Amino acid sequence: MIAKTVNATRREFMTMAAGTVAAVTGLSSEAHSSPESLATELKKMFGGKKMIDGRIKLDLPSIAENGLVVPLSFDVQSSMTDADYVKAVHILAEGNPNPNVASFQFTPLSPKASASIRIRLAQTQNIVGVAEMSNGELYITKREVKVTIGGCGG
């Protein structure tokens, strides 16, 4: 079998890949989530389980000049021992086409439950962080980010 080599730039490749993902998933630049779809997503992820405010801190700008690259950091207060540790942290965006932005898994071997990423936001919206603890408790926090230039086609 002879493989044909395609010489494409990184930008061309990323554009083709994004187009393929949009075609396969049915996403369009017009689709946006809503507080109701976020609530539905949280119910799908966690059932009707009670969520407690606290223990998770989101650090992101209150105003993002460019929705394409919004820095986000989080930190969850936990001793990270076998008896008490953060199992996972989920970041959701209320106004993006897909509310699930990122999920992070932790173990008691993790020194702390924190991470930093850059996210893409389509419009001004609330960012929600949910921390799943080893004892089954859920902690939630919410922060609004005002976006001046949309990042998801908006």
Side-chain angles (χ1 to χ4, degrees), residues 94-115:
E94 196 173 77
N96 275 7
N98 181 354
N100 293 320
V101 174
S103 291
F104 299 85
Q105 307 297 315
F106 298 96
T107 71
L109 299 176
S110 303
K112 60 183 183 173
S114 65

Side-chain angles (χ1 to χ4, degrees), residues 12-93:
E12 290 168 336
F13 176 77
M14 295 305 286
T15 302
M16 289 185 296
T20 302
V21 169
V24 170
T25 61
L27 293 177
S28 75
S29 61
E30 300 302 315
H32 293 290
S33 188
S34 66
E36 295 79 23
S37 62
L38 179 67
T40 301
E41 187 66 26
L42 288 171
K43 187 167 181 124
K44 188 170 30 169
M45 292 171 73
F46 306 110
K49 222 168 173 192
K50 180 182 175 194
M51 295 188 185
I52 307 162
D53 285 330
R55 284 186 88 166
I56 180 170
K57 179 185 169 208
L58 290 180
D59 184 21
L60 53 142
S62 56
I63 298 175
E65 291 182 19
N66 185 347
L68 290 172
V69 286
V70 180
L72 178 144
S73 299
F74 68 84
D75 185 46
V76 183
Q77 296 172 353
S78 173
S79 59
M80 296 305 284
T81 63
D82 288 336
D84 176 35
Y85 68 94
V86 179
K87 284 177 44 177
V89 174
H90 307 279
I91 306 296
L92 300 104

Side-chain angles (χ1 to χ4, degrees), residues 90-150:
H90 307 279
I91 306 296
L92 300 104
E94 196 173 77
N96 275 7
N98 181 354
N100 293 320
V101 174
S103 291
F104 299 85
Q105 307 297 315
F106 298 96
T107 71
L109 299 176
S110 303
K112 60 183 183 173
S114 65
S116 296
I117 60 172
R118 295 195 181 269
I119 62 174
R120 178 179 280 187
L121 300 177
Q123 61 191 17
T124 296
Q125 61 190 287
N126 289 315
I127 305 303
V128 176
V130 179
E132 286 185 79
M133 306 302 288
S134 59
N135 64 2
E137 290 180 334
L138 297 173
Y139 290 90
I140 189 168
T141 192
K142 184 187 323 186
R143 289 273 318 271
E144 183 185 53
V145 177
K146 294 182 190 311
V147 177
T148 56
I149 300 173

